[in-house]
Amino acid sequence: MRYAKALMAYAEERGAEDRLYHELVTLAHSFRTVKGFCAVLDNPIVSVDEKFSLICTAADGDNKPSEEFIRFVRLVLKERRETYLQFMSLMYLDLYRKKKHIGVGKLITAVPVDKATEERIRQTAAHILHAYMELETVIDPSIEGGFVFDINDYRLDASIATQLKKVKQQFIDKNRRIV
C-alpha cells in the first residue's frame, strides 16, 4: 500500500496518473493472463535488466512506457520488491478508481450480448452508483443461460445453472426431512 500511495502522489504531482493507470491496468491484466509471469519475477536467476524489460513489455507492449512508470519499476527492482509488484499495481488501481469515482463491473453471459445492451447496462450501473463504469464482458457457456453481474463487491447471479442448483438443493433438503 505504501508503494501504491507514493506512486499515486508522484503521478499526481507530475500529472501522469491517467497514463500510469492505463499502464498498470495492462500490467495487472498480464499478471492475470500470462502463466508463469510471477514465477519469472520471483526467480533470482533472472537478471534485473531482464525483469525490467519484461515488466515494461507487459505494461505497454511495444510502446515506450511513461517516465513515471520506468522510475517506479526501477525503484521496485532496486528494493527487491518485485514479488509484490502485482499487489502494488492492484492497490494503485483501487486508489485511482476511488479518487476518480470509477466503478468496475463484469457481465458474464452464456452468449455474446450486443453493444447496445452492454452500453445500456453500463449506463444504468453508472447512474445507480453515481460513477463512471468500466464494464468487462465475459462469455461463459457453463452458466447455461441468464447472466451474472459483478459490480464492485456485489454479485447478481441470474444464471440458469445457479437456479438449477437451488432447485436441486431444495429437493435434497425436502427429501432429508421425509426420511
Side-chain angles (χ1 to χ4, degrees):
M1 183 59 127
R2 282 182 284 170
Y3 280 86
K5 284 182 179 179
L7 180 60
M8 176 62 84
Y10 177 67
E12 286 175 349
E13 178 182 303
R14 304 275 305 229
E17 66 266 18
D18 296 335
R19 174 145 190 228
L20 198 55
Y21 172 74
H22 293 293
E23 290 171 338
L24 290 174
V25 164
T26 307
L27 182 63
H29 183 266
S30 297
F31 273 113
R32 274 194 323 269
T33 58
V34 178
K35 294 186 189 302
F37 186 47
C38 290
V40 170
L41 292 181
D42 290 341
N43 191 339
I45 296 173
V46 178
S47 73
V48 171
D49 291 334
E50 290 174 322
K51 290 179 183 181
F52 175 77
S53 175
L54 182 65
I55 292 167
C56 288
T57 302
D60 218 16
D62 295 332
N63 300 328
K64 182 172 176 13
S66 65
E67 182 64 31
E68 294 78 17
F69 182 80
I70 290 171
R71 290 189 68 186
F72 174 68
V73 171
R74 290 208 187 277
L75 174 69
V76 169
L77 292 172
K78 178 183 167 214
E79 298 296 324
R80 310 218 19 97
R81 299 283 191 257
E82 57 269 14
T83 302
Y84 308 108
L85 184 60
Q86 180 178 14
F87 304 111
M88 291 176 204
S89 63
L90 292 174
M91 290 309 301
Y92 179 87
L93 296 178
D94 284 344
L95 291 171
Y96 181 89
R97 288 174 179 146
K98 284 178 186 168
K99 182 177 182 348
K100 300 283 185 169
H101 303 288
I102 298 173
V104 180
K106 184 176 186 179
L107 178 65
I108 305 168
T109 59
V111 295
V113 295
D114 60 9
K115 292 292 180 192
T117 304
E118 184 179 322
E119 183 61 24
R120 195 171 75 234
I121 291 170
R122 191 183 69 71
Q123 289 293 338
T124 303
H127 178 71
I128 291 169
L129 292 177
H130 305 291
Y132 175 80
M133 282 299 300
E134 290 180 352
L135 184 65
E136 175 188 0
T137 56
V138 177
I139 299 166
D140 183 7
S142 69
I143 67 169
E144 299 177 16
F147 64 91
V148 178
F149 186 54
D150 293 326
I151 185 166
N152 291 341
D153 295 330
Y154 300 102
R155 174 172 269 206
L156 174 62
D157 191 343
S159 65
I160 301 295
T162 300
Q163 291 175 9
L164 288 173
K165 285 178 190 174
K166 287 179 182 178
V167 169
K168 179 181 175 183
Q169 190 61 43
Q170 287 174 351
F171 280 126
I172 290 171
D173 292 343
K174 190 172 187 177
N175 285 334
R176 282 189 188 143
R177 281 186 246 137
I178 294 172
V179 175

